[in-house]
Amino acid sequence: METTATISVPLSLRLSESALKIIAILSMVADHCAYFLMEPDTPMYDLLRCFGRIAFPVFAFLVAEGFAHSRDRMRYFLILLLAGAVSELPWYLLNGSDGTHNVMFTLALGVVALAIFDRMCEHGPLSFIGVAGIAVLAWWLGTDYDWRGILMIAVFYILRHQTMRPWRERSSTHFPSQAILQIIFTFPLMAHYGIAGALLASGIIFLYDGTRGFIRSKPAKYSFYAIYPAHLMLLSLFS
């Protein structure tokens, strides 16, 4: 008989995967608009940048979830890789030759890290060494969020086996308290980019209910990936 402690969460506060995607996109666009178009050290700039700190942790969480549920993980990786390749030109136009690369490459490398972990998980420490190797690669390549981004994705995925049962198997008004482990162990990585943003991201991730939500059709799914290069190109035209 299971005795896992639970935490009451109102039905109206639950967030589906689709809701998390929309929040992450809005956060990302707000963050980039502030960073590339506004004067720093102003109240609005600081507010938008704080809101913008939500984006990457939520995207990292969604990659872990997407990898777990994907029926074709190679295709999932190739979609992220293609989005990264398409985004590299507007990224260069915005950032110049600073040696960095856009976040889609980080997410794609995160999928590689999870694939290595899955393949080598029976070999214990070797699986973690494989993930660490991909984190070092992200740092060496200069991808956005580099090694911290890879570790964040990995921790979300590794702990989901303990924390994320299908929604139908949970109480209708409770979350397993073990789900907090995902937030506890990723919070130091999130907090590197701002405590307030990390707290906001943690709250949003905690409210995830395990359902897909309203984004189901293929055109809607692919448009989600297209938003990243599209908004970077628009910003490069106005910056």
Side-chain angles (χ1 to χ4, degrees):
M1 181 176 179
E2 186 176 358
T3 60
T4 303
T6 55
I7 297 174
S8 179
V9 177
L11 295 173
S12 60
L13 293 181
R14 297 175 185 164
L15 296 174
S16 67
E17 177 186 300
S18 300
L20 261 65
K21 287 180 177 180
I22 297 300
I23 292 170
I25 287 171
L26 292 175
S27 170
M28 174 187 70
V29 172
D31 183 60
H32 289 168
C33 285
Y35 185 76
F36 292 112
L37 301 179
M38 299 177 65
E39 290 294 326
D41 301 322
T42 62
M44 183 56 68
Y45 175 89
D46 292 338
L47 178 64
L48 292 179
R49 291 284 283 162
C50 179
F51 176 60
R53 298 301 87 197
I54 295 172
F56 184 81
V58 174
F59 282 132
F61 178 80
L62 290 172
V63 165
E65 287 294 299
F67 180 84
H69 293 294
S70 178
R71 287 175 288 185
D72 189 342
R73 290 172 171 177
M74 177 59 73
R75 182 182 181 187
Y76 186 42
F77 164 73
L78 291 175
I79 290 173
L80 290 170
L81 188 64
L82 177 61
V86 172
S87 303
E88 195 64 1
L89 175 59
W91 178 268
Y92 175 82
L93 293 175
L94 287 167
N95 295 282
S97 55
D98 61 356
T100 64
H101 302 282
N102 71 81
V103 76
M104 285 296 178
F105 289 126
T106 309
L107 301 181
L109 286 174
V111 170
V112 174
L114 300 187
I116 290 173
F117 179 83
D118 260 10
R119 181 65 63 88
M120 304 182 69
C121 62
E122 295 180 356
H123 301 286
L126 287 178
S127 61
F128 294 99
I129 292 172
V131 170
I134 298 300
V136 171
L137 177 62
W139 167 79
W140 182 74
L141 292 173
T143 63
D144 203 15
Y145 290 91
D146 52 68
W147 64 270
R148 291 182 182 85
I150 302 299
L151 293 187
M152 203 181 300
I153 294 169
V155 172
F156 277 132
Y157 180 72
I158 292 167
L159 292 181
R160 84 175 300 279
H161 292 293
Q162 300 295 326
T163 63
M164 297 303 297
R165 292 178 297 163
W167 182 249
R168 62 180 177 274
E169 297 178 11
R170 305 181 192 178
S171 164
S172 61
T173 58
H174 294 82
F175 290 90
S177 60
Q178 279 190 323
I180 300 174
L181 287 175
Q182 286 181 303
I183 294 169
I184 291 174
F185 283 93
T186 55
F187 191 83
L189 297 168
M190 298 187 218
H192 176 78
Y193 303 98
I195 295 293
L199 290 170
L200 290 171
S202 296
I204 289 166
I205 291 167
F206 178 73
L207 293 176
Y208 174 61
D209 65 7
T211 64
R212 292 176 60 186
F214 53 89
I215 300 178
R216 293 178 176 269
S217 67
K218 286 187 176 180
K221 290 180 181 178
Y222 291 135
S223 64
F224 170 70
Y225 297 104
I227 288 172
Y228 183 74
H231 95 283
L232 287 183
M233 184 58 74
L234 286 174
L235 287 173
S236 69
L237 297 175
F238 290 102
S239 62

